[in-house]
Amino acid sequence: MSAPRLRSRWPVLVFLAPAVLIYTVFSAWPLLDTLRLGLYATDARGVVSFAGLDNFRTILVDAQWSAEFWNAMGNNLKFFGIHMLFQNTIALVLAALLSLNGLKGAGTYRTLIFMPTLLSVVIIGFTWQLILSPLWGVAERLLGVFGLAHLFAPWLGLEESALNTLSMMSVWQFVGIPMMLIYAALIAIPDEIIEAASAEGASAWRIFWEIRLPLILPTLGLVTILTFVANFNAFDLVYAVKGALAGPNYSTDLLGTLFYRTFFGYQSQVGSATMGAAVATVMFLVILCGVGAYTVLVQRRLQRHTF
Amino acid sequence: MRKSSAHPAVSRGFVHLVLSGYTLLALAPLLLVVMNSFKARAAIFDDPLAWPTADTFALIGYTKVLAKSQVLGFFANSAIVTGVSLVLILLLGAMAAWALTEYRFPGDRLLSLFLGFGIMVPIRLGSVSILEIIVALDLVNTRTALVLVYVAQGLPLAVMILSEFIRQVPGELKDAARCDGVSEYRIFFQVILPLIRPAVATVAVFTMVPIWNDLWFPLILAPSEATQTITLGVQQFIGQYATDWNAVLAALSLAVLPVLVLHALFSRQLIRGITAGAVK
Amino acid sequence: MTLSRKTLLAALIAATTATVAPHASAGTLTIESWRIDDKALWEETLLPAFTKANPGITVKFTPSAPPEYNSALNARLTAGTAGDLITCRPFDVSLDLYTKGRLTKLNSQPGLENFPDSAKVAWQTDDGKDTYCMPMASVIHGFFYNKKVFADLGLKPPTTEAEFFAVLDKVKAGGKITPLALGTADQWETNQIVFTSLGANYWKGEDGRKALIAGKKKFTDADVTAVWETMAKWAPYLSKGYQAQTYGDSQNLFGAGKAAIYPAGSWDISYFQQNGLKDFGAFPPPVRKAGDGCYISDHTDIGMGINAASKNKADAEKFLTWLASKAFADLYTNKVTGFFSLSKHAITVQDPVAQEMVGWRNKCKSTIRLNAQIMSRGQPSMENELWTVSSQVMNGKMTPKDAGARIQAGFAKWHKPAAQ
């Protein structure tokens, strides 16, 4: 589709200016200003001096820093993997079911299923810690109903399982968002296409796989990218449940918590704005690479269908 | 109207089973919090799964929260900040998304990337610079400061998602309107906006949540009693060593209510938007 | 931003404008703090007492969420919106604020003479020349025990480690009560309440601490790793699944009478009293062998300084002078139970458990938390490292020898005396 020929440039400016202005002043400029600090170093007296790429070298090469950094990276990748596997699959299934024609109570289901997303991390952290607590025994009792009580373990406190448990808590929290996005895309598919296929004898399953799913691929792409960005910036839930130290033994440490600890300090550890900015820059680059890779490899090949 | 007879049959029983099963999973933890907010502290940890009985029922959490703090004021602040931010994010975001997807001009790709930049960086990074700007504008301890910051943060994501949906609007509608000599502004407000209402409602619902639940920016930009939001207000019950569980649970239960109401309202808008769009 | 743009924005969002610009005027003071726990006490008891003694000055106590205090305060100090009086964390965190010019020098502040050097050192530069916060209070660490459980089982508070484990064994054999209420999920208790408290008896308090800083002692020495060995032996006496037990869980467990012993900081006295557990006592960390001298972790915890950018320094200084007075020492110690005034004034502590704990100062030698001074300054921060290794030792994931080696290696990385 060719771009419209406008009689004047004014509409573009009017539409763009307010958003770009507020964004630049209150978001972009502060972020860039602080990222710039990544090129500086602070000494004990608080004097900031230009240090080039020293901070980045430290993060990637220094034994102690790089161990923490790569640990956080690895954890973040696991975190993302669990979200792709569980969050987006469940969201797809729920959205597909909810968009079925004439489903009674779809609105109610949708509203209720979306509720966890509305809760603050304080509630989510509190309630899941209560459920999973070995002392107050809710999860253990529930497992016992199915005869599986012996499977219970203090998952949030064990190195092997803490990250997976927190990831699943996060999946539980955020399923609503991809569900709503996929749902909005599914209901945009005109009925005629579905009816035509159904009239030709296609089963619901085939219709889903061969018609509905391909048509919503751009939205699935959007969901993937949003999940990626959100996961690599994730911080709140881990912070609320485990604190900035992200125990046990840094097994729940994500790039977000590493950044927070470095930039703002933690307990006796004094914060370093310059190192923190360097960590943030690396986070940004990681996300940029992910988004870039997606755009180049996937986005270009997706067909966008308009009706 | 849709003719359900022309659609493929899926066992409704199966569908309802899956959906209600997941709904239970989604709701149970919240119900646990609300239920326990009505119990005496000892009873909460004695038996978290038990309903409040005559013995354990206690409104102490609620009385403390409602009596001690200016809770209604906090709610009002949260409502105003969230509401105004939301309106601005949606309006300005839709406008920007429209401009970026519809018109070609030098630097449009760059501008999209520039806006996308805001999603990709940890939000708290710019805190100190933001605070300095707010101080320079003499907006400390005002709700305006919060609104401006939240709008700035919500725009990138809103623009990205709305762009996606605007791209799906049929070109014929726009061309037809232009042939009729309709101004670009009217095209946007009268043709485009109504068509992307489902997306707008969706973005609204999950943009308002991080704003409502945010603790950090109220803490550094507007911590005064007059401008505290409810999330910040709840913090006063969580001490360094001593947490007043009754009050915390009660406060959190109360804090969730307005969000649920708003969400329910927006959901209805979403339904109306969908059914309106379906009638062709 | 041009003026017209500013007006336009203001007009756009006019409905939400509620400008409350805090103009500091003579006669008002704002206190920054993390002690949300004390808000009611400050507003109802302490501040009225100050205003009575100093009419014409209004003071507001505005605490921030404890985990966010350091970071939020830093942000506000940088931007100039912080309050006049800053509650100071001990040692490096406040030293950092002072070095960056955020706190005023208090060398000539009247009232400082009421504090012993051991109290002031937490808020002085390394060379001891400049003081930047007025000391307020310390906390003492030990163990609480449920008197009823002990009475039922015929137990006495233990004084030696052998007795301590004997008590734990007896409670465990009884079956229904958890011997020790401690979890490792939050990690900080294993360092701040257990390692640095129990360990004082091992490295002989201040002597050991100073030797470690000077490099004359190492964390790999037998007497230091022995602390972790003892801690590892505690695991069987903790609740099932203690790895996921938080501080709040431990409080609830002991407060509900379901545990016999609770490793405690004195701050928890008022918590348990307000939440229903009336009958509990305290005993100091057990000594290794009968007849050993005892040491307690008596930690300088809280002080107050003046924001260098405050517009009301005169009144702030009056407030600090009042903080050094006997009246305040008495009020604070007796109202904020568990926090003991650091001043030289002789105060009668009214609460029996608090009285018991402060009485330990007479029979045991006091020391601060081991790694509080200097040791947590570099990278890796020893505080974070101690949290991690102590929790891992108690979880059975790290041997005491490895724990000592890791701490020593981390310390030697940036601290020259330790590298020798």
Side-chain angles (χ1 to χ4, degrees):
Chain A
M1 241 196 63
S2 59
R5 274 173 296 118
L6 296 175
R7 263 162 285 132
S8 81
R9 286 290 194 193
W10 275 114
V12 179
L13 209 61
V14 170
F15 284 128
L16 275 177
V20 175
L21 189 71
I22 297 186
Y23 169 72
T24 308
V25 173
F26 292 98
S27 189
W29 165 247
L31 290 173
L32 285 167
D33 189 37
T34 320
L35 279 182
R36 174 185 65 84
L37 281 179
L39 295 172
Y40 290 77
T42 329
D43 70 4
R45 300 222 57 128
V47 174
V48 174
S49 57
F50 189 73
L53 296 175
D54 275 351
N55 292 339
F56 298 98
R57 210 173 302 137
T58 310
I59 295 176
L60 295 173
V61 172
D62 172 82
Q64 192 238 330
W65 273 103
S66 70
E68 262 187 39
F69 172 74
W70 290 110
N71 174 53
M73 255 310 256
N75 288 342
N76 241 141
L77 284 168
K78 274 189 233 164
F79 193 72
F80 174 60
I82 292 187
H83 280 74
M84 284 305 292
L85 188 58
F86 289 99
Q87 176 192 273
N88 294 340
T89 317
I90 297 178
L92 184 61
V93 169
L94 290 175
L97 290 177
L98 284 172
S99 64
L100 283 176
N101 195 43
L103 183 69
K104 274 207 170 62
T108 319
Y109 278 127
R110 228 181 31 241
T111 312
L112 292 177
I113 292 179
F114 196 79
M115 282 218 197
T117 315
L118 303 174
L119 304 174
S120 93
V121 276
V122 181
I123 301 193
I124 295 179
F126 173 83
T127 198
W128 279 105
Q129 277 189 290
L130 185 63
I131 294 175
L132 295 174
S133 166
L135 281 179
W136 321 117
V138 180
E140 199 173 0
R141 226 192 296 170
L142 287 176
L143 280 178
V145 167
F146 299 101
L148 295 171
H150 60 278
L151 284 181
F152 179 77
W155 293 302
L156 275 176
L158 298 175
E159 259 180 78
E160 316 84 70
S161 54
L163 183 64
N164 295 339
T165 314
L166 277 174
S167 308
M168 290 307 287
M169 281 162 67
S170 174
V171 164
W172 175 85
Q173 181 185 5
F174 287 118
V175 152
I177 298 184
M179 182 190 81
M180 291 296 250
L181 288 173
I182 297 174
Y183 176 76
L186 280 173
I187 58 174
I189 300 175
D191 284 341
E192 294 83 54
I193 299 182
I194 313 287
E195 285 172 13
S198 179
E200 284 178 29
S203 73
W205 189 242
R206 269 192 80 193
I207 290 182
F208 177 72
W209 271 110
E210 295 178 19
I211 300 180
R212 300 172 96 195
L213 196 55
L215 287 177
I216 60 166
L217 277 180
T219 309
L220 290 182
L222 177 69
V223 163
T224 305
I225 264 301
L226 289 179
T227 309
F228 181 78
V229 174
N231 287 166
F232 274 83
N233 269 328
F235 165 77
D236 278 327
L237 186 63
V238 179
Y239 184 68
V241 176
K242 287 285 170 195
L245 208 56
N249 194 25
Y250 299 103
S251 58
T252 55
D253 201 18
L254 298 177
L255 289 173
T257 43
L258 176 64
F259 159 71
Y260 185 89
R261 218 163 50 237
T262 313
F263 190 86
F264 291 105
Y266 187 67
Q267 294 297 319
S268 308
Q269 178 184 342
V270 172
S272 164
T274 47
M275 272 311 271
V279 174
T281 309
V282 176
M283 280 170 75
F284 169 62
L285 291 173
V286 167
I287 295 179
L288 193 62
C289 284
V291 176
Y294 167 79
T295 313
V296 166
L297 294 173
V298 183
Q299 184 86 323
R300 292 228 186 115
R301 307 217 182 119
L302 286 177
Q303 273 180 296
R304 187 164 286 102
H305 299 268
T306 58
F307 304 103
Chain B
M1 288 300 288
R2 293 176 180 204
K3 296 200 201 63
S4 48
S5 54
H7 277 257
V10 182
S11 152
R12 292 294 137 138
F14 168 74
V15 172
H16 281 282
L17 184 67
V18 172
L19 285 177
S20 49
Y22 191 82
T23 307
L24 189 64
L25 182 61
L27 283 184
L30 178 61
L31 288 174
L32 197 65
V33 168
V34 173
M35 192 171 79
N36 278 301
S37 72
F38 287 104
K39 281 156 69 173
R41 201 196 55 87
I44 296 178
F45 296 97
D46 254 343
D47 198 355
L49 275 187
W51 285 96
T53 65
D55 284 333
T56 57
F57 184 80
L59 282 176
I60 182 163
Y62 288 97
T63 49
K64 229 186 276 187
V65 169
L66 293 169
K68 215 189 209 183
S69 49
Q70 308 86 305
V71 162
L72 289 177
F74 297 161
F75 270 119
N77 287 333
S78 281
I80 294 175
V81 168
T82 309
V84 176
S85 304
L86 206 53
V87 167
L88 286 175
I89 290 175
L90 291 173
L91 183 62
L92 302 184
M95 282 161 59
W98 165 247
L100 286 172
T101 53
E102 181 65 13
Y103 310 118
R104 294 281 166 270
F105 52 91
D108 59 358
R109 292 296 289 273
L110 222 58
L111 202 54
S112 287
L113 213 65
F114 178 62
L115 278 172
F117 169 75
I119 316 178
M120 298 194 267
V121 188
I123 296 276
R124 292 187 184 199
L125 179 66
S127 303
V128 177
S129 300
I130 291 177
L131 187 51
E132 285 173 358
I133 295 175
I134 296 290
V135 169
L137 290 174
D138 202 20
L139 287 174
V140 183
N141 279 329
T142 62
R143 287 170 290 212
T144 313
L146 291 176
V147 169
L148 289 171
V149 173
Y150 288 137
V151 170
Q153 292 186 342
L155 278 174
L157 194 61
V159 168
M160 186 190 222
I161 295 178
L162 291 174
S163 298
E164 189 57 46
F165 284 91
I166 288 181
R167 282 197 191 100
Q168 293 170 14
V169 172
E172 302 85 54
L173 285 173
K174 295 181 274 186
D175 291 339
R178 285 202 188 95
C179 283
D180 287 343
V182 179
S183 80
E184 295 297 315
Y185 304 109
R186 283 187 68 190
I187 292 181
F188 174 73
F189 282 102
Q190 290 178 352
V191 179
I192 304 296
L193 264 191
L195 284 177
I196 58 169
R197 230 190 298 178
V200 168
T202 308
V203 172
V205 166
F206 65 75
T207 305
M208 82 176 163
V209 176
I211 299 177
W212 182 273
N213 287 329
D214 186 39
L215 171 64
W216 176 249
F217 280 112
L219 188 61
I220 61 165
L221 298 179
S224 74
E225 296 248 355
T227 53
Q228 268 191 28
T229 56
I230 186 67
T231 315
L232 187 56
V234 173
Q235 288 295 318
Q236 62 184 267
F237 298 109
I238 303 178
Q240 182 186 17
Y241 298 116
T243 302
D244 192 340
W245 293 110
N246 286 102
V248 168
L249 290 181
L252 291 176
S253 302
L254 287 176
V256 156
L257 274 178
V259 196
L260 296 181
V261 169
L262 275 175
H263 169 59
L265 283 176
F266 270 110
S267 279
R268 253 198 281 145
Q269 272 302 310
L270 176 59
I271 297 172
R272 280 210 210 116
I274 295 165
T275 47
V279 177
K280 293 222 174 101
Chain C
M1 244 193 181
T2 64
L3 192 58
S4 57
R5 193 52 93 177
K6 184 176 172 183
T7 340
L8 179 63
L9 263 177
L12 254 173
I13 325 171
T16 65
T17 307
T19 312
V20 179
H23 292 298
S25 42
T28 63
L29 290 172
T30 316
I31 304 179
E32 301 266 10
S33 174
W34 66 85
R35 290 292 302 171
I36 291 188
D37 319 47
D38 305 337
K39 187 159 192 249
L41 280 168
W42 277 92
E43 286 173 352
E44 289 159 23
T45 315
L46 298 168
L47 292 178
F50 172 75
T51 315
K52 225 168 125 194
N54 294 273
I57 309 179
T58 0
V59 189
K60 288 179 74 178
F61 184 76
T62 54
S64 311
E68 315 280 1
Y69 178 69
N70 292 6
S71 41
L73 178 68
N74 258 306
R76 288 196 222 126
L77 281 169
T78 312
T81 56
D84 308 278
L85 291 157
I86 314 284
T87 310
C88 303
R89 303 255 197 210
F91 296 103
D92 288 325
V93 176
S94 302
L95 178 62
D96 181 66
L97 286 180
Y98 175 67
T99 324
K100 296 202 169 101
R102 307 275 186 228
L103 296 171
T104 59
K105 205 185 291 200
L106 293 176
N107 294 357
S108 51
Q109 170 72 33
L112 268 182
E113 63 278 1
N114 288 342
F115 295 93
D117 287 334
S118 56
K120 286 187 276 198
V121 76
W123 293 286
Q124 283 175 331
T125 48
D126 282 352
D127 53 18
K129 291 215 183 81
D130 294 326
T131 313
Y132 44 86
C133 290
M134 178 74 77
M136 279 171 64
S138 68
V139 290
I140 298 179
H141 306 76
F143 293 85
F144 292 167
Y145 66 97
N146 185 318
K147 283 192 175 157
K148 183 170 179 300
V149 170
F150 269 47
D152 287 346
L153 290 168
L155 299 167
K156 273 183 340 30
T159 47
T160 67
E161 265 184 25
E163 285 172 24
F164 184 70
F165 281 103
V167 166
L168 290 176
D169 281 325
K170 255 219 170 123
V171 178
K172 186 161 181 183
K176 281 174 288 146
I177 306 276
T178 309
L180 208 46
L182 178 70
T184 55
D186 287 345
Q187 299 190 90
W188 65 270
E189 309 99 295
T190 57
N191 184 44
Q192 292 182 353
I193 309 182
V194 181
F195 181 72
T196 55
S197 164
L198 191 65
N201 281 329
Y202 285 64
W203 53 71
K204 309 278 180 245
E206 283 296 283
D207 295 336
R209 187 180 74 81
K210 294 198 171 123
L212 280 165
I213 296 181
K216 298 206 183 81
K217 223 176 142 43
K218 294 195 187 300
F219 284 90
T220 43
D221 290 350
D223 51 356
V224 181
T225 51
V227 189
W228 283 305
E229 280 163 30
T230 310
M231 283 166 68
K233 285 194 223 150
W234 283 14
Y237 303 104
L238 305 176
S239 310
K240 191 172 73 124
Y242 64 91
Q243 300 92 334
Q245 183 174 328
T246 65
Y247 183 65
D249 288 336
S250 306
Q251 282 178 318
N252 281 317
L253 192 63
F254 186 72
K258 294 188 182 156
I261 300 178
Y262 173 81
S266 53
W267 58 80
D268 262 334
I269 298 176
S270 61
Y271 176 82
F272 289 119
Q273 286 169 344
Q274 281 167 16
N275 283 287
L277 184 72
K278 302 277 190 244
D279 220 5
F280 66 98
F283 61 86
V287 295
R288 294 182 82 178
K289 287 191 315 295
D292 279 354
C294 67
Y295 296 84
I296 53 167
S297 170
D298 186 355
H299 185 69
T300 45
D301 199 41
I302 185 169
M304 198 171 287
I306 303 181
N307 183 355
S310 164
K311 297 192 176 65
N312 195 0
K313 292 207 183 77
D315 285 342
E317 280 166 19
K318 287 202 195 120
F319 191 82
L320 287 191
T321 312
W322 180 71
L323 284 185
S325 68
K326 184 163 182 190
F328 177 77
D330 198 334
L331 267 179
Y332 199 72
T333 308
N334 282 314
K335 294 292 178 192
V336 188
T337 315
F339 284 84
F340 305 101
S341 170
L342 282 165
S343 65
K344 293 184 199 159
H345 302 297
I347 311 283
T348 334
V349 178
Q350 281 149 14
D351 180 276
V353 183
Q355 206 182 73
E356 160 85 37
M357 291 184 95
V358 83
W360 298 342
R361 282 181 179 166
N362 299 331
K363 54 176 180 144
C364 300
K365 292 219 188 91
S366 291
T367 178
I368 57 172
R369 284 184 197 149
L370 179 71
N371 60 302
Q373 186 185 28
I374 296 177
M375 290 199 234
S376 300
R377 207 175 268 185
Q379 275 290 340
S381 167
M382 196 187 285
E383 180 78 24
N384 296 351
E385 286 289 279
L386 279 174
W387 287 27
T388 309
V389 308
S390 300
S391 306
Q392 283 202 274
V393 164
M394 294 202 73
N395 285 350
K397 296 283 187 180
M398 189 183 264
T399 65
K401 268 211 169 62
D402 287 340
R406 176 166 160 172
I407 299 290
Q408 185 61 31
F411 192 33
K413 239 184 138 192
W414 60 269
H415 186 71
K416 287 205 182 54
Q420 282 145 14

